[in-house]
Amino acid sequence: MKGLTVKEEELMNFFWEKGPLFVKEILAFYEEPKPHFNTLSTIVRGLEDKGFLSHNTYGNTYQYYAVVSEEDFRKRTLKNVISKYFNNSYLSAVSSLVKEEDISLDELKQLIQEVEKGKNRES
């Protein structure tokens, strides 16, 4: 599965939030100046080519729907970031967040407690 551009991710968010959509319906989610119908249609077809969307045919129009869940996309994106920037080390990623003060020590302790609770439930 390939990555997404900013515009592609923006469109995928509509599908994840709203469910199946016709391209015409997507236009309603934009403020003026709205993107051109053909532009959105091209992006949607690209998302289908990448395996993120599929469609149902109704006469001569298509209703598209997500085939990749938002959760699967998030997990895959996080794995790619950790692989690319942290040499596949989740520890390095968390350490970096703590060093940059994006996560406080209290938040880190809370995260550890939540992970431990999850592990205990699995046992």
Side-chain angles (χ1 to χ4, degrees), residues 5-22:
T5 66
V6 172
K7 286 291 181 192
E8 288 172 333
E9 191 170 341
E10 179 180 75
L11 283 178
M12 282 305 300
N13 281 317
F14 293 142
F15 287 100
W16 289 323
E17 291 171 18
K18 311 289 185 189
L21 296 165
F22 294 95

Side-chain angles (χ1 to χ4, degrees), residues 20-81:
L21 296 165
F22 294 95
V23 174
K24 223 176 211 184
E25 293 174 310
I26 298 170
L27 278 170
F29 303 134
Y30 287 93
E31 295 180 11
E32 294 295 338
K34 294 181 183 289
H36 193 275
F37 176 89
N38 291 344
T39 301
L40 290 180
S41 184
T42 299
I43 296 169
V44 167
R45 284 193 314 273
L47 285 166
E48 188 172 31
D49 290 343
K50 287 183 173 184
F52 285 88
L53 297 176
S54 189
H55 71 269
N56 292 315
T57 305
Y58 297 97
N60 61 353
T61 188
Y62 298 140
Q63 184 183 45
Y64 294 89
Y65 58 91
V67 293
V68 173
S69 73
E70 185 175 15
E71 183 179 343
D72 286 344
F73 177 71
R74 266 194 227 137
K75 285 178 184 176
R76 185 179 158 275
T77 301
L78 181 59
K79 284 181 182 180
N80 286 343
V81 167

Side-chain angles (χ1 to χ4, degrees), residues 78-118:
L78 181 59
K79 284 181 182 180
N80 286 343
V81 167
I82 290 173
S83 171
K84 184 175 181 177
Y85 298 105
F86 298 99
N87 199 26
N88 282 326
S89 170
Y90 285 82
L91 182 60
S92 292
V94 172
S95 177
S96 176
L97 290 169
V98 171
K99 286 177 189 170
E100 297 297 322
E101 299 179 18
D102 291 336
I103 294 179
S104 70
L105 288 178
D106 287 339
E107 289 171 321
L108 186 58
K109 288 175 187 175
Q110 181 182 351
L111 177 62
I112 291 168
Q113 289 172 350
E114 289 175 17
V115 170
E116 287 174 342
K117 284 180 191 175

